[in-house]
Amino acid sequence: MPAPNRFLEYIGAHAGRFIERLADAVAFPSVSAEAAFRTDVIRMAHYLEDQLKSLGVRTKLVDLGKHVLDGEELPLPPVILGSTGDDPKKKTILIYGHYDVQPACKNDGWGTEPFKLVVDSETGRLIGRGSTDDKGAILGWLNVLEAHKSLGLELPVNLRFCFEGMEEVGSDGLDDLIRNEVKKGKESWFYGVDCVCISDNYWLNTRTPCLTYGLRGIAYFKITVSGPASDLHSGAFGGMVHEPLMDLVALMGKLASPDGQILIPGVADMVPPPDEEGKKLYESLDSSVADVEEAAGAKITRSDDKVPVLMARMRNPSLSLHAIEGALGARTTIPATVTGKFSLRLVPPQTPESVIPLVLEHLYSEFAKLNSKNKLLVERGGDGRPWMDHQHWNYQAAIKASEAVYKRRPDLTREGGSIPVTLTFAESLGVNVLLLPMGRGDDGAQYALSRCQMNVAVLIYILGSTNEKLDRSNFIEGSKLMGTYLYEVAAISV
Amino acid sequence: MPAPNRFLEYIGAHAGRFIERLADAVAFPSVSAEAAFRTDVIRMAHYLEDQLKSLGVRTKLVDLGKHVLDGEELPLPPVILGSTGDDPKKKTILIYGHYDVQPACKNDGWGTEPFKLVVDSETGRLIGRGSTDDKGAILGWLNVLEAHKSLGLELPVNLRFCFEGMEEVGSDGLDDLIRNEVKKGKESWFYGVDCVCISDNYWLNTRTPCLTYGLRGIAYFKITVSGPASDLHSGAFGGMVHEPLMDLVALMGKLASPDGQILIPGVADMVPPPDEEGKKLYESLDSSVADVEEAAGAKITRSDDKVPVLMARMRNPSLSLHAIEGALGARTTIPATVTGKFSLRLVPPQTPESVIPLVLEHLYSEFAKLNSKNKLLVERGGDGRPWMDHQHWNYQAAIKASEAVYKRRPDLTREGGSIPVTLTFAESLGVNVLLLPMGRGDDGAQYALSRCQMNVAVLIYILGSTNEKLDRSNFIEGSKLMGTYLYEVAAISV
């Protein structure tokens, strides 16, 4: 059951109006990380609810309570739940998206005003904060709803929606909401959901549509070495005392080798080596070492061969050193207390539960070998399980839809990062989750420290992409893809 | 020729007035590191010149031109040259001191207003910025001059003075001034100087006077590793790319082991192992591991034995890691460019010229071994030669003076840090330099980041001691010591 031509034509014919609606959405500076914009985040929620209602969706705004940000108690933005269609003969698909955005201000390196959507008619780029992450995708679903309503077409599936406003800062309260909602049984907004579709990631490149069937997990650590009561002068004390920074550097040097090997015993071995078929999958992906070099802005890949480079991102665990803090003192000091931060990205069958004890044991035993009188403190900084699932009919439907709209087979990829809500949906609802990206790999490629949010007292740095964009064709063809996917899901016999 | 009793009695009898003059001097916030206080530094110079003139010293303020600080062009504080006595039968002693001070504000952890001298009658402490570093010492010499003038006593030596106002920020212009002055021959303010006395360091402890006959040199390095065009997300890139911070940590881990061994081939070997006599010297010093632990505020000495601990500070080279910068980004980034800073403290026969090439070769060869595609940049951050000289009559005179005033043999020590002007005087004038401390080892023990000087734009951190003090007895007995030293110098036959 391919999507009706009328639907596809409607989307194409109304592109201008859809882009106007995207401009309306982008105009809300719904920055969840900054207290000053909380009202705008909430205004964005009401705007979106109104749009859903006008398209025939039954909605509810769920209050998640309050939290403290920058020393200020603030209301959390509501989660928008939505429902349309209750036909027991149809499949029920749950759509997730988020309406909050990363911080942005022109000083960060934007070429245009971030909260004013700019249509670059030459390149077809729709430039603005949230255009691709994630307002464009949410509006893609609205485009699908509008087309059906205007054409008097019946949707091929029942739809449920869950749109949140805190994704960029850790999805406060969302996990609890999902778990509580599931417990309500027949009263639940998620009752009867057959599968989930999340559109909040990107193609591997700028050419080929992609479906994402795996995400790496994460285990995050913070290690602090402290010694003297305050910073010491290296002239007076250098040589006499154990130096915290020297100990920390030695310890962090024992975590991974510069060529990328994880040196924590037992961690890398958990993952079986790839078989020939696995290698062929990575060979087949429309990506190259040059693509990675372009994204990184430098020729710094650990291999010159595409297969190990892509496997390093998608199927292998990795360890990254993120920060060394406390070592910014005067010219010749011995810093008194220094903190290192690192994390491991995990892949199945690794889990935080299986990896964390190995990391802790390694840290303590390597530190003991230093024979230092300084003190080591190890703290954990949050973790998430890896996820992989791609033999499901949900993916078969998405592959067919991608082929129908883009006339080519999509890349089947795994992502290096984490989208924790994926796992919450998969585990709480017990259903398959499809990651169906709308945007391209270069939509938010350049990340920069957001200077508008530099907090002098606490030195918070927030990383945000600059010049975020969504290509016009990805917005319009992506809306067609979403609709087509619903028809393919409906058609597949389970 | 011991000092006349009249002199010693005068100093004791006028302690109250001397402390008042110290309070006057401390009241000038002559902070050389901060543009806002430059006028006060210059006012302090005029105050000091007036004091010298009133005590019969011929003076000259030498203009050193301008420099740029915090983006502002400022006049450098003048050097005060002084001269009293021209008797060719007497020895001529050059006295050095500095009238500028470290930054201080109450927020940094001071218990009192830093620029108001507080006399703690219970402990005998004179608390205030500059009390011990270095206004107390300069005023000690003024006390000696005043006693002689008031008593109608002739000074036993000719005196020359050189007081600067930029010591705390690197003595801008002083080396050139000294070298130019020396070139003037008979016209020079330094003509005929037989030896130099500098009072700008501290006893090893709080109990025993000390003479310092050696200083370590320094070679400072800054190494920057850069890779991607901007910070990368570790989810998307972790594993695929060479990480600058991982490379830097590996490289910095190859410099010294946590137990203090310098790992740069050829550097430690330059210094011969200590002989039995050398070890006895350190055994004889009035210092203990507990003293070092107290100064550091923690039990972190690399040995539990006094001799290796003291040798590590005084006779052995050391390597310290000072900073890792650029790695303060968001939670899960791979920082794009990171900089490490380290320095070696050098002892004879090491020189910066002999050590620097070994360090550079080691850095480049170890980085090459990492096989990283990131880039390494090595920069040098200034250096200074080590210095050691203690068989001279200048020291014999100071030992006798210390025994006369304090009734005990002084510790003969070498200092771990650098006082670069020491070497400039020694080399330019070709004479012996004596370091004759006035204050105790705990005078500025607690160092803290000076928050009053935190510069948001550039993030300059300035380290300053808090609650700086000079003990009343060190000020008064120290003034007696200075005068007695002049008599002992005069008496010694060369």
Side-chain angles (χ1 to χ4, degrees):
Chain A
M1 186 165 74
N5 272 334
R6 289 199 289 157
F7 162 72
L8 299 172
E9 285 162 11
Y10 185 96
I11 297 285
H14 293 80
R17 260 180 31 70
F18 295 156
I19 290 168
E20 277 169 32
R21 179 157 53 200
L22 183 58
D24 292 343
V26 165
F28 292 91
S30 52
V31 179
S32 48
E34 301 182 33
F37 293 105
R38 183 55 49 89
T39 318
D40 297 298
V41 186
I42 294 169
R43 280 175 52 232
M44 177 68 202
H46 288 280
Y47 166 82
L48 198 54
E49 189 194 23
D50 290 346
Q51 292 286 320
L52 287 165
K53 277 182 181 164
S54 73
L55 296 167
V57 178
R58 185 168 60 93
T59 60
K60 179 187 176 185
L61 293 188
V62 184
D63 182 5
L64 296 179
K66 290 174 187 293
H67 77 144
V68 174
L69 180 64
D70 298 347
E72 198 179 334
E73 196 183 55
L74 295 169
L76 285 162
V79 166
I80 305 169
L81 296 179
S83 171
T84 182
D86 267 312
D87 186 338
K89 296 190 296 293
K90 291 179 182 170
K91 294 196 185 73
T92 301
I93 315 295
L94 171 62
I95 308 294
Y96 162 90
H98 65 90
Y99 60 84
D100 63 322
V101 297
Q102 296 178 347
C105 65
K106 212 171 165 193
N107 291 343
D108 291 350
W110 281 75
T112 60
E113 285 297 333
F115 296 105
K116 183 177 184 317
L117 191 78
V118 172
V119 181
D120 183 329
S121 55
E122 202 167 313
T123 60
R125 290 181 166 194
L126 313 174
I127 303 157
R129 171 58 86 222
S131 56
T132 194
D133 180 17
D134 186 34
K135 290 176 175 175
I138 288 182
L139 266 58
W141 296 111
L142 298 188
N143 298 344
V144 172
L145 291 172
E146 183 188 307
H148 283 78
K149 185 164 184 281
S150 298
L151 296 168
L153 269 173
E154 194 181 332
L155 282 164
V157 295
N158 306 315
L159 285 178
R160 304 291 177 264
F161 299 95
C162 176
F163 295 146
E164 66 155 327
M166 286 292 281
E167 197 270 349
E168 297 294 355
V169 284
S171 297
D172 273 30
L174 184 66
D175 278 3
D176 286 346
L177 177 141
I178 293 169
R179 293 199 186 100
N180 287 337
E181 201 55 41
V182 168
K183 281 186 203 150
K184 294 180 185 166
K186 285 195 173 180
E187 303 304 309
S188 164
W189 285 73
F190 301 151
Y191 182 72
V193 163
D194 294 297
C195 62
V196 179
C197 179
I198 297 179
S199 185
D200 188 23
N201 64 317
Y202 306 94
W203 294 358
L204 200 51
N205 49 50
T206 59
R207 303 173 295 269
T208 311
C210 108
L211 306 179
T212 301
Y213 67 93
L215 297 171
R216 295 199 287 190
I218 189 169
Y220 197 94
F221 297 87
K222 191 176 153 188
I223 52 179
T224 298
V225 181
S226 56
S230 55
D231 289 358
L232 300 177
H233 188 275
S234 64
F237 288 91
M240 294 202 295
V241 298
H242 290 284
E243 300 190 6
L245 182 55
M246 205 173 277
D247 294 349
L248 183 70
V249 161
L251 192 55
M252 290 182 88
K254 299 276 163 53
L255 299 174
S257 59
D259 65 359
Q261 283 182 69
I262 297 172
L263 302 176
I264 302 162
V267 169
D269 322 343
M270 286 181 192
V271 182
D275 54 20
E276 280 313 305
E277 199 185 343
K279 286 182 189 166
K280 271 182 201 153
L281 170 68
Y282 294 97
E283 189 58 62
S284 76
L285 294 179
D286 182 14
S287 180
S288 65
V289 169
D291 286 336
V292 175
E293 290 172 343
E294 196 188 331
K299 295 181 187 297
I300 53 170
T301 55
R302 278 173 171 150
S303 167
D304 294 326
D305 178 359
K306 161 185 171 174
V307 172
V309 169
L310 294 181
M311 288 199 304
R313 171 180 184 167
M314 299 185 190
R315 75 153 326 261
N316 293 336
S318 66
L319 188 148
S320 290
L321 305 185
H322 305 303
I324 291 185
E325 298 170 358
L328 274 181
R331 222 178 97 80
T332 54
T333 42
I334 298 172
T337 299
V338 288
T339 297
K341 295 179 176 175
F342 69 94
S343 71
L344 289 104
R345 298 284 169 173
L346 309 178
V347 298
Q350 294 173 322
T351 59
E353 295 72 31
S354 63
V355 166
I356 288 167
L358 298 175
V359 178
L360 297 178
E361 190 185 325
H362 184 66
L363 287 170
Y364 290 121
S365 82
E366 289 298 325
F367 188 74
K369 286 183 199 165
L370 303 183
N371 278 315
S372 171
K373 292 179 187 167
N374 291 322
K375 303 270 179 288
L376 171 68
L377 172 70
V378 180
E379 293 168 277
R380 283 171 44 202
D383 48 63
R385 297 174 63 185
W387 166 84
M388 183 168 61
D389 184 358
H390 68 305
Q391 303 293 351
H392 199 268
W393 51 260
N394 198 16
Y395 277 83
Q396 302 311 316
I399 291 170
K400 281 191 182 172
S402 298
E403 289 175 337
V405 172
Y406 286 108
K407 317 293 179 212
R408 59 196 299 183
R409 196 172 169 78
D411 280 333
L412 282 177
T413 69
R414 291 159 68 180
E415 282 275 347
S418 314
I419 307 180
V421 73
T422 308
L423 211 68
T424 310
F425 279 128
E427 294 179 349
S428 303
L429 299 172
V431 301
N432 180 271
V433 180
L434 163 71
L435 301 187
L436 179 70
M438 172 180 265
R440 298 183 186 179
D442 66 346
D443 282 359
Q446 289 302 316
Y447 272 72
L449 285 183
S450 177
R451 279 171 195 81
C452 43
Q453 172 61 2
M454 266 237 236
N455 182 320
V456 177
V458 200
L459 279 182
I460 297 171
Y461 292 88
I462 294 190
L463 197 74
S465 63
T466 54
N467 300 314
E468 179 180 343
K469 61 87 180 166
L470 175 65
D471 290 272
R472 186 185 196 280
S473 71
N474 281 56
F475 186 44
I476 302 307
E477 299 307 301
S479 299
K480 292 181 189 169
L481 172 66
M482 287 166 164
T484 305
Y485 155 73
L486 299 182
Y487 284 94
E488 294 294 349
V489 162
I492 227 157
S493 51
V494 185
Chain B
M1 186 163 76
N5 272 332
R6 289 198 291 156
F7 162 72
L8 301 172
E9 284 162 12
Y10 184 96
I11 298 285
H14 293 80
R17 260 177 35 66
F18 295 156
I19 291 169
E20 277 169 31
R21 180 157 53 199
L22 183 58
D24 291 344
V26 164
F28 292 93
S30 52
V31 179
S32 48
E34 301 182 33
F37 293 105
R38 183 53 50 87
T39 318
D40 297 298
V41 186
I42 294 169
R43 280 175 53 231
M44 178 69 202
H46 288 282
Y47 166 81
L48 198 53
E49 190 195 22
D50 290 344
Q51 292 287 318
L52 286 164
K53 277 183 180 163
S54 74
L55 295 168
V57 178
R58 184 167 61 92
T59 60
K60 179 185 177 186
L61 293 189
V62 184
D63 182 5
L64 297 178
K66 291 175 188 295
H67 77 144
V68 174
L69 180 64
D70 297 348
E72 198 179 334
E73 195 184 55
L74 295 171
L76 284 161
V79 165
I80 306 170
L81 297 179
S83 169
T84 183
D86 266 314
D87 186 339
K89 295 189 297 293
K90 291 179 182 170
K91 294 195 185 73
T92 300
I93 316 296
L94 172 61
I95 307 296
Y96 162 89
H98 66 90
Y99 61 83
D100 63 321
V101 297
Q102 296 178 348
C105 64
K106 215 173 162 192
N107 292 343
D108 290 349
W110 281 75
T112 61
E113 284 299 334
F115 296 107
K116 183 177 182 320
L117 191 76
V118 172
V119 181
D120 184 329
S121 54
E122 203 168 312
T123 60
R125 291 182 164 192
L126 312 175
I127 303 157
R129 171 59 84 221
S131 57
T132 194
D133 180 19
D134 189 35
K135 290 176 176 176
I138 288 182
L139 267 56
W141 297 110
L142 298 189
N143 298 345
V144 172
L145 291 172
E146 181 189 306
H148 284 78
K149 183 162 185 279
S150 300
L151 296 169
L153 269 171
E154 195 182 326
L155 282 165
V157 295
N158 305 314
L159 286 178
R160 302 292 178 265
F161 298 95
C162 177
F163 294 146
E164 67 154 326
M166 285 292 280
E167 197 270 350
E168 297 293 357
V169 284
S171 299
D172 272 32
L174 184 67
D175 279 3
D176 287 347
L177 177 143
I178 293 169
R179 293 199 186 101
N180 287 337
E181 201 54 43
V182 167
K183 280 186 204 150
K184 295 179 186 167
K186 284 194 174 179
E187 304 305 310
S188 163
W189 285 72
F190 301 151
Y191 182 70
V193 162
D194 294 297
C195 62
V196 178
C197 180
I198 296 178
S199 185
D200 188 24
N201 65 317
Y202 305 94
W203 295 357
L204 200 51
N205 50 48
T206 59
R207 302 173 294 271
T208 310
C210 109
L211 305 178
T212 301
Y213 67 92
L215 297 171
R216 294 199 286 192
I218 188 169
Y220 197 96
F221 297 88
K222 191 177 153 187
I223 51 180
T224 298
V225 181
S226 56
S230 56
D231 291 356
L232 300 177
H233 188 274
S234 64
F237 288 91
M240 292 201 298
V241 297
H242 290 283
E243 300 190 6
L245 182 55
M246 205 172 279
D247 294 349
L248 182 69
V249 161
L251 193 55
M252 291 183 89
K254 297 277 164 52
L255 299 173
S257 58
D259 65 0
Q261 285 182 68
I262 297 172
L263 302 176
I264 302 161
V267 169
D269 322 343
M270 286 181 191
V271 182
D275 54 20
E276 281 311 308
E277 199 185 346
K279 285 182 190 166
K280 272 182 201 154
L281 170 69
Y282 294 97
E283 188 59 61
S284 77
L285 294 179
D286 181 14
S287 180
S288 66
V289 169
D291 286 338
V292 175
E293 289 172 345
E294 196 188 330
K299 295 179 187 300
I300 54 170
T301 56
R302 278 173 171 151
S303 168
D304 294 326
D305 179 358
K306 162 184 171 175
V307 172
V309 168
L310 293 181
M311 289 199 305
R313 170 181 185 165
M314 299 186 190
R315 78 154 322 263
N316 293 337
S318 66
L319 189 150
S320 290
L321 305 184
H322 305 303
I324 292 184
E325 297 170 359
L328 274 181
R331 224 177 96 80
T332 53
T333 42
I334 297 172
T337 299
V338 288
T339 296
K341 294 178 176 176
F342 69 95
S343 72
L344 292 104
R345 299 283 170 172
L346 310 178
V347 297
Q350 293 173 323
T351 59
E353 296 72 31
S354 63
V355 166
I356 288 167
L358 299 175
V359 178
L360 296 178
E361 191 186 324
H362 184 67
L363 287 171
Y364 290 122
S365 81
E366 288 298 325
F367 188 74
K369 286 182 199 166
L370 302 183
N371 279 315
S372 172
K373 292 179 187 167
N374 291 321
K375 303 270 180 285
L376 172 68
L377 172 69
V378 180
E379 293 168 276
R380 282 171 44 200
D383 49 64
R385 297 175 63 186
W387 165 84
M388 181 168 62
D389 185 357
H390 69 306
Q391 303 294 352
H392 198 269
W393 52 260
N394 199 17
Y395 277 83
Q396 302 312 315
I399 291 171
K400 280 190 185 174
S402 298
E403 288 175 336
V405 172
Y406 286 107
K407 315 297 179 208
R408 59 193 300 181
R409 196 169 168 81
D411 280 334
L412 283 175
T413 69
R414 290 159 67 180
E415 281 275 350
S418 315
I419 308 181
V421 73
T422 308
L423 211 68
T424 310
F425 279 129
E427 294 179 347
S428 302
L429 299 172
V431 300
N432 179 271
V433 180
L434 164 71
L435 301 187
L436 179 69
M438 172 180 264
R440 298 184 187 178
D442 65 346
D443 281 1
Q446 289 302 317
Y447 273 72
L449 286 184
S450 179
R451 279 171 195 83
C452 42
Q453 173 59 3
M454 264 234 235
N455 183 319
V456 177
V458 201
L459 278 183
I460 297 171
Y461 292 87
I462 294 192
L463 196 74
S465 63
T466 53
N467 300 314
E468 179 180 343
K469 60 88 180 169
L470 175 64
D471 290 271
R472 186 184 196 279
S473 71
N474 281 55
F475 187 43
I476 302 307
E477 300 306 300
S479 298
K480 292 179 189 172
L481 173 66
M482 287 167 163
T484 304
Y485 155 72
L486 299 182
Y487 283 94
E488 295 294 351
V489 162
I492 227 157
S493 49
V494 186

